[in-house]
Amino acid sequence: MHIKELTKAEEQVMQILWQLKEAIVKDIIEEMPEPKPAYNTVSTVVRVLEGKGFIDHKAYGNSHVYFPLISDADYKKFTFDKMMTNYFSNSYQSLVSFIVDEKKISVKELDELTSLIDKLKNEKQ
């Protein structure tokens, strides 16, 4: 499966579809913040997502019910891998250093991370 990067608008629609599991365009618009986009705008984004292979639909008369084909977990992994490659040279050390420096992680949070790392190491052995 080849995942493509989504635009902001496409990602917003996907977030809603992942949450709802399936929806018609009106359902998607209802979940969007004010000011609500035009029906045609959302309908166009939905058709683009279908073209990219992210969603499909079932037809019930004149209504199309859309549902995700790609899970949010798969897209999360794709975006994380892309971020690791593009911004951290695939170095988890660089990523953790960035998080510690930028997000001002507390000693308690660092201890929790260390515990998690130890737990994961034990599971891999």
Side-chain angles (χ1 to χ4, degrees):
M1 157 183 40
H2 179 71
I3 297 178
K4 297 178 174 119
E5 192 167 5
L6 297 176
T7 66
K8 214 172 189 167
E10 292 165 352
E11 198 170 305
Q12 183 182 30
V13 169
M14 284 307 301
Q15 292 286 351
I16 292 167
L17 274 174
W18 285 322
Q19 178 191 336
L20 296 178
K21 310 287 189 253
E22 59 178 36
I24 60 174
V25 172
K26 276 173 68 175
D27 296 335
I28 295 168
I29 294 168
E30 276 178 29
E31 295 296 318
M32 294 179 140
E34 295 290 345
K36 306 273 188 206
Y39 182 93
N40 288 345
T41 303
V42 177
S43 181
T44 299
V45 171
V46 165
R47 281 196 304 278
V48 169
L49 285 166
E50 198 166 16
K52 286 184 173 183
F54 271 82
I55 64 175
D56 201 356
H57 73 272
K58 294 179 271 194
Y60 298 101
N62 290 339
S63 294
H64 286 173
V65 177
Y66 297 93
F67 56 91
L69 292 175
I70 292 176
S71 72
D72 58 339
D74 286 341
Y75 190 69
K76 227 180 263 179
K77 182 183 179 329
F78 163 77
T79 55
F80 182 76
D81 290 349
K82 189 171 185 295
M83 181 191 66
M84 282 299 296
T85 302
N86 292 345
Y87 297 102
F88 299 103
S89 306
N90 280 328
S91 164
Y92 287 95
Q93 186 176 350
S94 294
L95 172 66
V96 172
S97 292
F98 173 80
I99 292 170
V100 170
D101 292 344
E102 289 297 315
K103 299 301 175 189
K104 309 293 185 249
I105 290 185
S106 70
V107 172
K108 180 179 184 274
E109 289 169 317
L110 282 172
D111 286 342
E112 288 169 0
L113 275 176
T114 305
S115 296
L116 177 62
I117 290 166
D118 290 340
K119 179 181 171 231
L120 293 172
K121 267 196 245 178
N122 291 334
E123 288 174 4
K124 296 237 184 228
Q125 293 174 355

PDB file of all heavy atoms in Angstrom, residues 43-81:
ATOM      1  N   SER A  43     -17.296  18.207  -0.733  1.00  0.00           N
ATOM      2  CA  SER A  43     -17.566  17.165  -1.711  1.00  0.00           C
ATOM      3  C   SER A  43     -16.349  16.971  -2.632  1.00  0.00           C
ATOM      4  O   SER A  43     -15.979  15.833  -2.952  1.00  0.00           O
ATOM      5  CB  SER A  43     -18.809  17.544  -2.527  1.00  0.00           C
ATOM      6  OG  SER A  43     -19.106  16.545  -3.461  1.00  0.00           O
ATOM      7  N   THR A  44     -15.722  18.056  -3.033  1.00  0.00           N
ATOM      8  CA  THR A  44     -14.524  17.985  -3.878  1.00  0.00           C
ATOM      9  C   THR A  44     -13.378  17.307  -3.131  1.00  0.00           C
ATOM     10  O   THR A  44     -12.690  16.436  -3.678  1.00  0.00           O
ATOM     11  CB  THR A  44     -14.098  19.401  -4.336  1.00  0.00           C
ATOM     12  OG1 THR A  44     -15.173  19.958  -5.100  1.00  0.00           O
ATOM     13  CG2 THR A  44     -12.842  19.364  -5.180  1.00  0.00           C
ATOM     14  N   VAL A  45     -13.167  17.675  -1.862  1.00  0.00           N
ATOM     15  CA  VAL A  45     -12.105  17.060  -1.049  1.00  0.00           C
ATOM     16  C   VAL A  45     -12.359  15.558  -0.923  1.00  0.00           C
ATOM     17  O   VAL A  45     -11.433  14.741  -1.052  1.00  0.00           O
ATOM     18  CB  VAL A  45     -12.010  17.728   0.346  1.00  0.00           C
ATOM     19  CG1 VAL A  45     -11.072  16.957   1.256  1.00  0.00           C
ATOM     20  CG2 VAL A  45     -11.563  19.181   0.223  1.00  0.00           C
ATOM     21  N   VAL A  46     -13.602  15.177  -0.711  1.00  0.00           N
ATOM     22  CA  VAL A  46     -13.970  13.765  -0.579  1.00  0.00           C
ATOM     23  C   VAL A  46     -13.645  13.016  -1.878  1.00  0.00           C
ATOM     24  O   VAL A  46     -13.075  11.920  -1.845  1.00  0.00           O
ATOM     25  CB  VAL A  46     -15.467  13.629  -0.195  1.00  0.00           C
ATOM     26  CG1 VAL A  46     -15.974  12.224  -0.407  1.00  0.00           C
ATOM     27  CG2 VAL A  46     -15.670  14.069   1.246  1.00  0.00           C
ATOM     28  N   ARG A  47     -13.961  13.608  -3.024  1.00  0.00           N
ATOM     29  CA  ARG A  47     -13.667  12.952  -4.306  1.00  0.00           C
ATOM     30  C   ARG A  47     -12.160  12.813  -4.526  1.00  0.00           C
ATOM     31  O   ARG A  47     -11.687  11.797  -5.036  1.00  0.00           O
ATOM     32  CB  ARG A  47     -14.324  13.710  -5.456  1.00  0.00           C
ATOM     33  CG  ARG A  47     -15.816  13.403  -5.572  1.00  0.00           C
ATOM     34  CD  ARG A  47     -16.409  13.818  -6.908  1.00  0.00           C
ATOM     35  NE  ARG A  47     -16.214  15.224  -7.222  1.00  0.00           N
ATOM     36  CZ  ARG A  47     -16.976  16.219  -6.763  1.00  0.00           C
ATOM     37  NH1 ARG A  47     -17.985  15.947  -5.955  1.00  0.00           N
ATOM     38  NH2 ARG A  47     -16.737  17.465  -7.087  1.00  0.00           N
ATOM     39  N   VAL A  48     -11.396  13.822  -4.111  1.00  0.00           N
ATOM     40  CA  VAL A  48      -9.935  13.751  -4.221  1.00  0.00           C
ATOM     41  C   VAL A  48      -9.403  12.623  -3.336  1.00  0.00           C
ATOM     42  O   VAL A  48      -8.541  11.838  -3.752  1.00  0.00           O
ATOM     43  CB  VAL A  48      -9.279  15.105  -3.858  1.00  0.00           C
ATOM     44  CG1 VAL A  48      -7.779  14.975  -3.717  1.00  0.00           C
ATOM     45  CG2 VAL A  48      -9.622  16.162  -4.909  1.00  0.00           C
ATOM     46  N   LEU A  49      -9.923  12.530  -2.108  1.00  0.00           N
ATOM     47  CA  LEU A  49      -9.505  11.452  -1.191  1.00  0.00           C
ATOM     48  C   LEU A  49      -9.832  10.082  -1.775  1.00  0.00           C
ATOM     49  O   LEU A  49      -9.056   9.132  -1.625  1.00  0.00           O
ATOM     50  CB  LEU A  49     -10.176  11.621   0.175  1.00  0.00           C
ATOM     51  CG  LEU A  49      -9.608  12.725   1.054  1.00  0.00           C
ATOM     52  CD1 LEU A  49     -10.550  13.021   2.219  1.00  0.00           C
ATOM     53  CD2 LEU A  49      -8.222  12.361   1.549  1.00  0.00           C
ATOM     54  N   GLU A  50     -10.955   9.987  -2.430  1.00  0.00           N
ATOM     55  CA  GLU A  50     -11.328   8.725  -3.068  1.00  0.00           C
ATOM     56  C   GLU A  50     -10.356   8.413  -4.206  1.00  0.00           C
ATOM     57  O   GLU A  50      -9.892   7.279  -4.344  1.00  0.00           O
ATOM     58  CB  GLU A  50     -12.774   8.801  -3.578  1.00  0.00           C
ATOM     59  CG  GLU A  50     -13.371   7.456  -3.850  1.00  0.00           C
ATOM     60  CD  GLU A  50     -14.885   7.502  -4.020  1.00  0.00           C
ATOM     61  OE1 GLU A  50     -15.476   8.575  -4.227  1.00  0.00           O
ATOM     62  OE2 GLU A  50     -15.487   6.411  -3.938  1.00  0.00           O
ATOM     63  N   GLY A  51     -10.002   9.428  -4.976  1.00  0.00           N
ATOM     64  CA  GLY A  51      -9.033   9.259  -6.058  1.00  0.00           C
ATOM     65  C   GLY A  51      -7.661   8.849  -5.566  1.00  0.00           C
ATOM     66  O   GLY A  51      -6.945   8.101  -6.231  1.00  0.00           O
ATOM     67  N   LYS A  52      -7.294   9.322  -4.373  1.00  0.00           N
ATOM     68  CA  LYS A  52      -5.994   8.980  -3.781  1.00  0.00           C
ATOM     69  C   LYS A  52      -6.014   7.613  -3.100  1.00  0.00           C
ATOM     70  O   LYS A  52      -4.999   7.144  -2.606  1.00  0.00           O
ATOM     71  CB  LYS A  52      -5.577  10.034  -2.738  1.00  0.00           C
ATOM     72  CG  LYS A  52      -5.103  11.344  -3.325  1.00  0.00           C
ATOM     73  CD  LYS A  52      -4.615  12.281  -2.225  1.00  0.00           C
ATOM     74  CE  LYS A  52      -3.987  13.531  -2.789  1.00  0.00           C
ATOM     75  NZ  LYS A  52      -3.455  14.403  -1.713  1.00  0.00           N
ATOM     76  N   GLY A  53      -7.197   6.989  -3.031  1.00  0.00           N
ATOM     77  CA  GLY A  53      -7.304   5.664  -2.428  1.00  0.00           C
ATOM     78  C   GLY A  53      -7.436   5.669  -0.918  1.00  0.00           C
ATOM     79  O   GLY A  53      -7.263   4.636  -0.271  1.00  0.00           O
ATOM     80  N   PHE A  54      -7.757   6.827  -0.334  1.00  0.00           N
ATOM     81  CA  PHE A  54      -7.910   6.902   1.123  1.00  0.00           C
ATOM     82  C   PHE A  54      -9.288   6.471   1.585  1.00  0.00           C
ATOM     83  O   PHE A  54      -9.451   5.992   2.699  1.00  0.00           O
ATOM     84  CB  PHE A  54      -7.659   8.341   1.612  1.00  0.00           C
ATOM     85  CG  PHE A  54      -6.224   8.616   1.934  1.00  0.00           C
ATOM     86  CD1 PHE A  54      -5.326   8.926   0.938  1.00  0.00           C
ATOM     87  CD2 PHE A  54      -5.766   8.561   3.241  1.00  0.00           C
ATOM     88  CE1 PHE A  54      -3.994   9.166   1.231  1.00  0.00           C
ATOM     89  CE2 PHE A  54      -4.442   8.799   3.548  1.00  0.00           C
ATOM     90  CZ  PHE A  54      -3.552   9.103   2.537  1.00  0.00           C
ATOM     91  N   ILE A  55     -10.290   6.697   0.738  1.00  0.00           N
ATOM     92  CA  ILE A  55     -11.665   6.365   1.110  1.00  0.00           C
ATOM     93  C   ILE A  55     -12.365   5.704  -0.070  1.00  0.00           C
ATOM     94  O   ILE A  55     -11.891   5.748  -1.208  1.00  0.00           O
ATOM     95  CB  ILE A  55     -12.469   7.609   1.577  1.00  0.00           C
ATOM     96  CG1 ILE A  55     -12.633   8.620   0.445  1.00  0.00           C
ATOM     97  CG2 ILE A  55     -11.828   8.250   2.789  1.00  0.00           C
ATOM     98  CD1 ILE A  55     -13.518   9.804   0.790  1.00  0.00           C
ATOM     99  N   ASP A  56     -13.511   5.098   0.235  1.00  0.00           N
ATOM    100  CA  ASP A  56     -14.384   4.546  -0.792  1.00  0.00           C
ATOM    101  C   ASP A  56     -15.806   4.886  -0.375  1.00  0.00           C
ATOM    102  O   ASP A  56     -16.019   5.505   0.676  1.00  0.00           O
ATOM    103  CB  ASP A  56     -14.175   3.037  -0.916  1.00  0.00           C
ATOM    104  CG  ASP A  56     -14.657   2.500  -2.276  1.00  0.00           C
ATOM    105  OD1 ASP A  56     -15.214   3.273  -3.077  1.00  0.00           O
ATOM    106  OD2 ASP A  56     -14.485   1.291  -2.525  1.00  0.00           O
ATOM    107  N   HIS A  57     -16.769   4.483  -1.180  1.00  0.00           N
ATOM    108  CA  HIS A  57     -18.156   4.772  -0.811  1.00  0.00           C
ATOM    109  C   HIS A  57     -19.062   3.608  -1.158  1.00  0.00           C
ATOM    110  O   HIS A  57     -18.731   2.752  -1.972  1.00  0.00           O
ATOM    111  CB  HIS A  57     -18.648   6.047  -1.503  1.00  0.00           C
ATOM    112  CG  HIS A  57     -18.905   5.861  -2.975  1.00  0.00           C
ATOM    113  ND1 HIS A  57     -17.926   6.031  -3.915  1.00  0.00           N
ATOM    114  CD2 HIS A  57     -20.026   5.492  -3.641  1.00  0.00           C
ATOM    115  CE1 HIS A  57     -18.429   5.790  -5.119  1.00  0.00           C
ATOM    116  NE2 HIS A  57     -19.699   5.462  -4.987  1.00  0.00           N
ATOM    117  N   LYS A  58     -20.212   3.621  -0.466  1.00  0.00           N
ATOM    118  CA  LYS A  58     -21.319   2.738  -0.805  1.00  0.00           C
ATOM    119  C   LYS A  58     -22.433   3.660  -1.278  1.00  0.00           C
ATOM    120  O   LYS A  58     -22.673   4.704  -0.663  1.00  0.00           O
ATOM    121  CB  LYS A  58     -21.792   1.958   0.431  1.00  0.00           C
ATOM    122  CG  LYS A  58     -20.774   0.974   0.983  1.00  0.00           C
ATOM    123  CD  LYS A  58     -21.305   0.267   2.222  1.00  0.00           C
ATOM    124  CE  LYS A  58     -20.956   1.082   3.444  1.00  0.00           C
ATOM    125  NZ  LYS A  58     -21.089   0.458   4.723  1.00  0.00           N
ATOM    126  N   ALA A  59     -23.090   3.298  -2.363  1.00  0.00           N
ATOM    127  CA  ALA A  59     -24.182   4.126  -2.886  1.00  0.00           C
ATOM    128  C   ALA A  59     -25.512   3.577  -2.394  1.00  0.00           C
ATOM    129  O   ALA A  59     -25.761   2.369  -2.458  1.00  0.00           O
ATOM    130  CB  ALA A  59     -24.144   4.139  -4.403  1.00  0.00           C
ATOM    131  N   TYR A  60     -26.317   4.478  -1.846  1.00  0.00           N
ATOM    132  CA  TYR A  60     -27.683   4.157  -1.452  1.00  0.00           C
ATOM    133  C   TYR A  60     -28.581   5.140  -2.174  1.00  0.00           C
ATOM    134  O   TYR A  60     -28.740   6.282  -1.741  1.00  0.00           O
ATOM    135  CB  TYR A  60     -27.875   4.296   0.070  1.00  0.00           C
ATOM    136  CG  TYR A  60     -27.010   3.348   0.873  1.00  0.00           C
ATOM    137  CD1 TYR A  60     -25.843   3.791   1.480  1.00  0.00           C
ATOM    138  CD2 TYR A  60     -27.372   2.012   1.021  1.00  0.00           C
ATOM    139  CE1 TYR A  60     -25.055   2.924   2.222  1.00  0.00           C
ATOM    140  CE2 TYR A  60     -26.587   1.133   1.756  1.00  0.00           C
ATOM    141  CZ  TYR A  60     -25.436   1.598   2.355  1.00  0.00           C
ATOM    142  OH  TYR A  60     -24.653   0.734   3.077  1.00  0.00           O
ATOM    143  N   GLY A  61     -29.115   4.728  -3.310  1.00  0.00           N
ATOM    144  CA  GLY A  61     -29.888   5.662  -4.127  1.00  0.00           C
ATOM    145  C   GLY A  61     -28.976   6.782  -4.600  1.00  0.00           C
ATOM    146  O   GLY A  61     -27.924   6.529  -5.177  1.00  0.00           O
ATOM    147  N   ASN A  62     -29.371   8.020  -4.304  1.00  0.00           N
ATOM    148  CA  ASN A  62     -28.549   9.168  -4.694  1.00  0.00           C
ATOM    149  C   ASN A  62     -27.492   9.526  -3.661  1.00  0.00           C
ATOM    150  O   ASN A  62     -26.690  10.418  -3.885  1.00  0.00           O
ATOM    151  CB  ASN A  62     -29.435  10.408  -4.936  1.00  0.00           C
ATOM    152  CG  ASN A  62     -30.273  10.249  -6.189  1.00  0.00           C
ATOM    153  OD1 ASN A  62     -29.932   9.448  -7.061  1.00  0.00           O
ATOM    154  ND2 ASN A  62     -31.367  10.990  -6.261  1.00  0.00           N
ATOM    155  N   SER A  63     -27.515   8.860  -2.506  1.00  0.00           N
ATOM    156  CA  SER A  63     -26.569   9.190  -1.435  1.00  0.00           C
ATOM    157  C   SER A  63     -25.347   8.286  -1.501  1.00  0.00           C
ATOM    158  O   SER A  63     -25.453   7.091  -1.778  1.00  0.00           O
ATOM    159  CB  SER A  63     -27.224   9.014  -0.064  1.00  0.00           C
ATOM    160  OG  SER A  63     -28.250   9.949   0.101  1.00  0.00           O
ATOM    161  N   HIS A  64     -24.198   8.894  -1.224  1.00  0.00           N
ATOM    162  CA  HIS A  64     -22.953   8.144  -1.105  1.00  0.00           C
ATOM    163  C   HIS A  64     -22.490   8.200   0.341  1.00  0.00           C
ATOM    164  O   HIS A  64     -22.347   9.283   0.901  1.00  0.00           O
ATOM    165  CB  HIS A  64     -21.863   8.731  -2.012  1.00  0.00           C
ATOM    166  CG  HIS A  64     -22.072   8.439  -3.457  1.00  0.00           C
ATOM    167  ND1 HIS A  64     -21.302   8.992  -4.436  1.00  0.00           N
ATOM    168  CD2 HIS A  64     -22.966   7.642  -4.102  1.00  0.00           C
ATOM    169  CE1 HIS A  64     -21.691   8.550  -5.609  1.00  0.00           C
ATOM    170  NE2 HIS A  64     -22.714   7.732  -5.430  1.00  0.00           N
ATOM    171  N   VAL A  65     -22.278   7.021   0.922  1.00  0.00           N
ATOM    172  CA  VAL A  65     -21.758   6.936   2.282  1.00  0.00           C
ATOM    173  C   VAL A  65     -20.281   6.587   2.163  1.00  0.00           C
ATOM    174  O   VAL A  65     -19.923   5.551   1.599  1.00  0.00           O
ATOM    175  CB  VAL A  65     -22.514   5.869   3.107  1.00  0.00           C
ATOM    176  CG1 VAL A  65     -21.904   5.743   4.499  1.00  0.00           C
ATOM    177  CG2 VAL A  65     -23.998   6.228   3.197  1.00  0.00           C
ATOM    178  N   TYR A  66     -19.434   7.484   2.672  1.00  0.00           N
ATOM    179  CA  TYR A  66     -17.981   7.329   2.543  1.00  0.00           C
ATOM    180  C   TYR A  66     -17.396   6.673   3.780  1.00  0.00           C
ATOM    181  O   TYR A  66     -17.885   6.874   4.891  1.00  0.00           O
ATOM    182  CB  TYR A  66     -17.334   8.697   2.308  1.00  0.00           C
ATOM    183  CG  TYR A  66     -17.791   9.314   1.007  1.00  0.00           C
ATOM    184  CD1 TYR A  66     -18.869  10.186   0.963  1.00  0.00           C
ATOM    185  CD2 TYR A  66     -17.170   8.966  -0.189  1.00  0.00           C
ATOM    186  CE1 TYR A  66     -19.314  10.720  -0.239  1.00  0.00           C
ATOM    187  CE2 TYR A  66     -17.604   9.495  -1.394  1.00  0.00           C
ATOM    188  CZ  TYR A  66     -18.673  10.373  -1.415  1.00  0.00           C
ATOM    189  OH  TYR A  66     -19.106  10.885  -2.606  1.00  0.00           O
ATOM    190  N   PHE A  67     -16.336   5.893   3.575  1.00  0.00           N
ATOM    191  CA  PHE A  67     -15.655   5.230   4.683  1.00  0.00           C
ATOM    192  C   PHE A  67     -14.161   5.130   4.368  1.00  0.00           C
ATOM    193  O   PHE A  67     -13.772   5.052   3.201  1.00  0.00           O
ATOM    194  CB  PHE A  67     -16.264   3.846   4.937  1.00  0.00           C
ATOM    195  CG  PHE A  67     -16.270   2.941   3.731  1.00  0.00           C
ATOM    196  CD1 PHE A  67     -15.202   2.076   3.489  1.00  0.00           C
ATOM    197  CD2 PHE A  67     -17.329   2.973   2.830  1.00  0.00           C
ATOM    198  CE1 PHE A  67     -15.203   1.248   2.371  1.00  0.00           C
ATOM    199  CE2 PHE A  67     -17.330   2.152   1.704  1.00  0.00           C
ATOM    200  CZ  PHE A  67     -16.265   1.288   1.475  1.00  0.00           C
ATOM    201  N   PRO A  68     -13.326   5.144   5.411  1.00  0.00           N
ATOM    202  CA  PRO A  68     -11.872   5.097   5.207  1.00  0.00           C
ATOM    203  C   PRO A  68     -11.400   3.730   4.703  1.00  0.00           C
ATOM    204  O   PRO A  68     -11.933   2.697   5.109  1.00  0.00           O
ATOM    205  CB  PRO A  68     -11.287   5.356   6.592  1.00  0.00           C
ATOM    206  CG  PRO A  68     -12.419   5.732   7.467  1.00  0.00           C
ATOM    207  CD  PRO A  68     -13.680   5.275   6.813  1.00  0.00           C
ATOM    208  N   LEU A  69     -10.406   3.762   3.827  1.00  0.00           N
ATOM    209  CA  LEU A  69      -9.723   2.541   3.399  1.00  0.00           C
ATOM    210  C   LEU A  69      -8.364   2.433   4.080  1.00  0.00           C
ATOM    211  O   LEU A  69      -7.809   1.353   4.199  1.00  0.00           O
ATOM    212  CB  LEU A  69      -9.515   2.539   1.877  1.00  0.00           C
ATOM    213  CG  LEU A  69     -10.770   2.420   1.015  1.00  0.00           C
ATOM    214  CD1 LEU A  69     -10.403   2.555  -0.463  1.00  0.00           C
ATOM    215  CD2 LEU A  69     -11.476   1.091   1.274  1.00  0.00           C
ATOM    216  N   ILE A  70      -7.835   3.573   4.490  1.00  0.00           N
ATOM    217  CA  ILE A  70      -6.551   3.622   5.183  1.00  0.00           C
ATOM    218  C   ILE A  70      -6.823   4.030   6.630  1.00  0.00           C
ATOM    219  O   ILE A  70      -7.552   4.987   6.882  1.00  0.00           O
ATOM    220  CB  ILE A  70      -5.595   4.617   4.490  1.00  0.00           C
ATOM    221  CG1 ILE A  70      -5.209   4.044   3.120  1.00  0.00           C
ATOM    222  CG2 ILE A  70      -4.365   4.896   5.343  1.00  0.00           C
ATOM    223  CD1 ILE A  70      -4.349   4.929   2.279  1.00  0.00           C
ATOM    224  N   SER A  71      -6.252   3.290   7.559  1.00  0.00           N
ATOM    225  CA  SER A  71      -6.511   3.570   8.976  1.00  0.00           C
ATOM    226  C   SER A  71      -5.719   4.784   9.449  1.00  0.00           C
ATOM    227  O   SER A  71      -4.696   5.136   8.861  1.00  0.00           O
ATOM    228  CB  SER A  71      -6.142   2.354   9.833  1.00  0.00           C
ATOM    229  OG  SER A  71      -4.731   2.218   9.882  1.00  0.00           O
ATOM    230  N   ASP A  72      -6.201   5.379  10.526  1.00  0.00           N
ATOM    231  CA  ASP A  72      -5.467   6.500  11.102  1.00  0.00           C
ATOM    232  C   ASP A  72      -4.104   6.039  11.612  1.00  0.00           C
ATOM    233  O   ASP A  72      -3.124   6.772  11.528  1.00  0.00           O
ATOM    234  CB  ASP A  72      -6.275   7.224  12.178  1.00  0.00           C
ATOM    235  CG  ASP A  72      -6.716   6.330  13.320  1.00  0.00           C
ATOM    236  OD1 ASP A  72      -6.768   5.096  13.158  1.00  0.00           O
ATOM    237  OD2 ASP A  72      -7.032   6.871  14.390  1.00  0.00           O
ATOM    238  N   ALA A  73      -4.006   4.801  12.091  1.00  0.00           N
ATOM    239  CA  ALA A  73      -2.723   4.274  12.574  1.00  0.00           C
ATOM    240  C   ALA A  73      -1.713   4.180  11.432  1.00  0.00           C
ATOM    241  O   ALA A  73      -0.543   4.540  11.597  1.00  0.00           O
ATOM    242  CB  ALA A  73      -2.924   2.908  13.218  1.00  0.00           C
ATOM    243  N   ASP A  74      -2.153   3.722  10.253  1.00  0.00           N
ATOM    244  CA  ASP A  74      -1.253   3.640   9.100  1.00  0.00           C
ATOM    245  C   ASP A  74      -0.796   5.027   8.655  1.00  0.00           C
ATOM    246  O   ASP A  74       0.359   5.229   8.306  1.00  0.00           O
ATOM    247  CB  ASP A  74      -1.921   2.915   7.927  1.00  0.00           C
ATOM    248  CG  ASP A  74      -2.018   1.411   8.142  1.00  0.00           C
ATOM    249  OD1 ASP A  74      -1.269   0.877   8.988  1.00  0.00           O
ATOM    250  OD2 ASP A  74      -2.846   0.777   7.468  1.00  0.00           O
ATOM    251  N   TYR A  75      -1.721   5.998   8.674  1.00  0.00           N
ATOM    252  CA  TYR A  75      -1.339   7.347   8.258  1.00  0.00           C
ATOM    253  C   TYR A  75      -0.408   7.986   9.285  1.00  0.00           C
ATOM    254  O   TYR A  75       0.546   8.667   8.935  1.00  0.00           O
ATOM    255  CB  TYR A  75      -2.565   8.232   8.016  1.00  0.00           C
ATOM    256  CG  TYR A  75      -2.173   9.544   7.362  1.00  0.00           C
ATOM    257  CD1 TYR A  75      -1.722   9.571   6.046  1.00  0.00           C
ATOM    258  CD2 TYR A  75      -2.218  10.744   8.063  1.00  0.00           C
ATOM    259  CE1 TYR A  75      -1.329  10.764   5.449  1.00  0.00           C
ATOM    260  CE2 TYR A  75      -1.822  11.928   7.461  1.00  0.00           C
ATOM    261  CZ  TYR A  75      -1.383  11.927   6.155  1.00  0.00           C
ATOM    262  OH  TYR A  75      -0.981  13.110   5.558  1.00  0.00           O
ATOM    263  N   LYS A  76      -0.673   7.733  10.563  1.00  0.00           N
ATOM    264  CA  LYS A  76       0.203   8.232  11.629  1.00  0.00           C
ATOM    265  C   LYS A  76       1.626   7.711  11.438  1.00  0.00           C
ATOM    266  O   LYS A  76       2.598   8.444  11.545  1.00  0.00           O
ATOM    267  CB  LYS A  76      -0.344   7.758  12.980  1.00  0.00           C
ATOM    268  CG  LYS A  76      -0.431   8.824  14.030  1.00  0.00           C
ATOM    269  CD  LYS A  76      -0.993   8.239  15.313  1.00  0.00           C
ATOM    270  CE  LYS A  76      -2.470   8.500  15.399  1.00  0.00           C
ATOM    271  NZ  LYS A  76      -3.123   7.962  16.568  1.00  0.00           N
ATOM    272  N   LYS A  77       1.738   6.409  11.156  1.00  0.00           N
ATOM    273  CA  LYS A  77       3.049   5.793  10.943  1.00  0.00           C
ATOM    274  C   LYS A  77       3.734   6.433   9.737  1.00  0.00           C
ATOM    275  O   LYS A  77       4.917   6.757   9.778  1.00  0.00           O
ATOM    276  CB  LYS A  77       2.915   4.286  10.752  1.00  0.00           C
ATOM    277  CG  LYS A  77       4.260   3.585  10.574  1.00  0.00           C
ATOM    278  CD  LYS A  77       4.101   2.106  10.319  1.00  0.00           C
ATOM    279  CE  LYS A  77       5.399   1.381  10.113  1.00  0.00           C
ATOM    280  NZ  LYS A  77       6.489   2.093   9.510  1.00  0.00           N
ATOM    281  N   PHE A  78       2.983   6.630   8.649  1.00  0.00           N
ATOM    282  CA  PHE A  78       3.531   7.252   7.440  1.00  0.00           C
ATOM    283  C   PHE A  78       4.064   8.652   7.740  1.00  0.00           C
ATOM    284  O   PHE A  78       5.182   8.994   7.369  1.00  0.00           O
ATOM    285  CB  PHE A  78       2.448   7.310   6.350  1.00  0.00           C
ATOM    286  CG  PHE A  78       2.763   8.265   5.228  1.00  0.00           C
ATOM    287  CD1 PHE A  78       3.671   7.923   4.234  1.00  0.00           C
ATOM    288  CD2 PHE A  78       2.137   9.514   5.160  1.00  0.00           C
ATOM    289  CE1 PHE A  78       3.957   8.817   3.197  1.00  0.00           C
ATOM    290  CE2 PHE A  78       2.424  10.402   4.132  1.00  0.00           C
ATOM    291  CZ  PHE A  78       3.334  10.048   3.149  1.00  0.00           C
ATOM    292  N   THR A  79       3.266   9.480   8.438  1.00  0.00           N
ATOM    293  CA  THR A  79       3.703  10.849   8.718  1.00  0.00           C
ATOM    294  C   THR A  79       4.859  10.871   9.702  1.00  0.00           C
ATOM    295  O   THR A  79       5.773  11.691   9.571  1.00  0.00           O
ATOM    296  CB  THR A  79       2.546  11.734   9.236  1.00  0.00           C
ATOM    297  OG1 THR A  79       1.950  11.125  10.366  1.00  0.00           O
ATOM    298  CG2 THR A  79       1.493  11.964   8.179  1.00  0.00           C
ATOM    299  N   PHE A  80       4.870   9.957  10.664  1.00  0.00           N
ATOM    300  CA  PHE A  80       5.972   9.894  11.619  1.00  0.00           C
ATOM    301  C   PHE A  80       7.264   9.489  10.912  1.00  0.00           C
ATOM    302  O   PHE A  80       8.317  10.098  11.120  1.00  0.00           O
ATOM    303  CB  PHE A  80       5.655   8.917  12.757  1.00  0.00           C
ATOM    304  CG  PHE A  80       6.748   8.858  13.784  1.00  0.00           C
ATOM    305  CD1 PHE A  80       6.905   9.877  14.710  1.00  0.00           C
ATOM    306  CD2 PHE A  80       7.648   7.802  13.798  1.00  0.00           C
ATOM    307  CE1 PHE A  80       7.930   9.839  15.642  1.00  0.00           C
ATOM    308  CE2 PHE A  80       8.674   7.751  14.729  1.00  0.00           C
ATOM    309  CZ  PHE A  80       8.815   8.780  15.656  1.00  0.00           C
ATOM    310  N   ASP A  81       7.183   8.461  10.068  1.00  0.00           N
ATOM    311  CA  ASP A  81       8.369   8.027   9.322  1.00  0.00           C
ATOM    312  C   ASP A  81       8.903   9.149   8.443  1.00  0.00           C
ATOM    313  O   ASP A  81      10.113   9.358   8.341  1.00  0.00           O
ATOM    314  CB  ASP A  81       8.049   6.797   8.462  1.00  0.00           C
ATOM    315  CG  ASP A  81       7.813   5.538   9.290  1.00  0.00           C
ATOM    316  OD1 ASP A  81       8.104   5.554  10.512  1.00  0.00           O
ATOM    317  OD2 ASP A  81       7.322   4.542   8.724  1.00  0.00           O
TER     318      ASP A  81
END
